[in-house]
């Protein structure tokens, strides 16, 4: 399913050498999948902040708290054939609920070119913190939109 999403949407931007490891980074502390008619059709993870995450620092500075007061919603994707059923919104709601149960504020970074994802986050009430440039490699500079969930 991730390969299908990558082929259609270009997510993830850089295809991982080991997709399973990409889905389970060491900073990950929770993840969920969504099923529709007995098939896995979506995924989302919740991680602690790691190097390269911009949103945790932006939200922490704005809120006057440490980065450890955040959790990063990551690796959200929905199978193209399952879109339009609210799967992405349900996965986001589950990740936000878990973050709040743990007493941390959910944030995320999304590549600016992924307008469908940004539209989903904004429909769900997420607030744009900033748009920043990141260096992802020696020759890869990417524009990223940083979001924070609305206050509970």
């Amino acid at each position: 399913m991730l390969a299908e999403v990558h082929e259609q949407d270009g997510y993830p931007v850089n295809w991982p050498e080991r997709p399973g490891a990409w889905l389970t980074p060491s900073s990950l502390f929770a993840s969920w999948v969504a099923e529709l008619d007995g098939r896995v059709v979506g995924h989302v993870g919740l991680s602690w902040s790691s190097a390269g995450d911009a949103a945790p620092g932006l939200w922490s500075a704005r809120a006057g708290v440490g980065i450890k007061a955040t959790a990063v919603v990551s690796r959200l994707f929905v199978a193209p054939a399952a879109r339009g059923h609210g799967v992405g919104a349900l996965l986001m709601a589950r990740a936000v609920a878990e973050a709040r149960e743990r007493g941390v504020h959910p944030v995320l970074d999304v590549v600016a070119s992924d307008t469908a994802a940004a539209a989903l986050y904004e429909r769900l009430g997420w607030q744009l913190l900033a748009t920043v440039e990141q260096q992802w490699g020696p020759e890869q500079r990417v524009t990223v939109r940083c979001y924070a969930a609305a206050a509970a």
Side-chain angles (χ1 to χ4, degrees):
M1 176 182 54
L2 181 59
E4 184 182 347
V5 170
H6 176 71
E7 184 177 314
Q8 180 166 323
D9 304 329
Y11 179 82
V13 172
N14 299 317
W15 182 252
E17 185 177 312
R18 296 175 41 230
W22 180 82
L23 286 170
T24 58
S26 60
S27 58
L28 182 76
F29 63 84
S31 63
W32 301 267
V33 297
E35 292 184 3
L36 185 63
D37 298 327
R39 290 187 49 225
V40 173
V41 295
H43 175 275
V44 69
L46 200 55
S47 300
W48 300 117
S49 177
S50 59
D53 293 326
L58 290 167
W59 187 84
S60 297
R62 210 172 270 193
V65 298
I67 285 179
K68 291 186 182 211
T70 66
V72 179
V73 177
S74 62
R75 311 306 199 241
L76 173 67
F77 56 95
V78 175
R83 294 177 185 165
H85 295 280
V87 173
L90 288 171
L91 286 166
M92 288 293 292
R94 183 63 194 102
V96 167
E98 179 69 22
R100 290 193 168 135
E101 286 171 19
R102 292 174 178 256
V104 292
H105 195 84
V107 298
L108 62 85
D109 295 334
V110 62
V111 176
S113 60
D114 193 346
T115 55
L120 170 66
Y121 306 141
E122 290 172 12
R123 259 192 331 272
L124 296 176
W126 285 61
Q127 300 167 342
L128 179 65
L129 299 170
T131 300
V132 300
E133 295 287 320
Q134 290 186 327
Q135 195 73 36
W136 282 11
E139 298 179 20
Q140 187 179 25
R141 194 156 179 80
V142 180
T143 302
V144 176
R145 294 173 60 93
C146 305
Y147 287 91

